[in-house]
Amino acid sequence: MKFHRLRTGMLAIAFGIAANGMTVTAAHADEFSFTATNSTNTAITQLLVSEDKAEWGYFDIGSGIKPGATVDLAWDQSTNGDNCVQWVKAAYADGSESEPTKFDFCESGLELEF
């Protein structure tokens, strides 16, 4: 009888911790959403990101960002352990790239304009 109560109590604690962890992860992922606006006359084909300007990753922007368009983007949850401050540059359909600019992705309501 005592074992059953102890086991039930432990399960309740485990589920509570798991539920709390899921809430924290979901809130953390929401912090890494932002908008990107293409203010040029050329389509953006890639948005590149780097902590050190040596190794570059990229955001999935589908078929690109058309001139004048604004899109909502979010970091993949696998990057939640990465630094908030990152360098970002745009690659354009004509082969050119914007200058890298440093952004703090933990900033609420972050808007990038290229």
Side-chain angles (χ1 to χ4, degrees), residues 4-99:
H4 178 68
R5 273 191 248 155
L6 178 62
R7 186 177 65 167
T8 303
M10 294 297 277
L11 283 172
I13 291 170
F15 283 122
I17 290 171
N20 188 32
M22 286 185 246
T23 302
V24 170
T25 301
H28 188 65
D30 288 343
E31 291 176 356
F32 293 104
S33 62
F34 61 98
T35 62
T37 300
N38 182 353
S39 60
T40 71
N41 294 324
T42 306
I44 294 174
T45 57
Q46 284 188 310
L47 283 182
L48 303 157
V49 61
S50 175
E51 285 187 20
D52 58 10
K53 295 198 297 186
E55 292 184 42
W56 293 89
Y58 63 92
F59 291 102
D60 181 0
I61 60 170
S63 60
I65 306 172
K66 295 179 182 180
T70 298
V71 297
D72 295 320
L73 298 170
W75 284 86
D76 185 273
Q77 287 185 351
S78 66
T79 63
N80 282 355
D82 289 357
N83 190 343
C84 290
V85 177
Q86 300 277 336
W87 291 93
V88 180
K89 64 181 178 178
Y92 298 97
D94 65 5
S96 65
E97 292 183 351
S98 67
E99 287 295 318

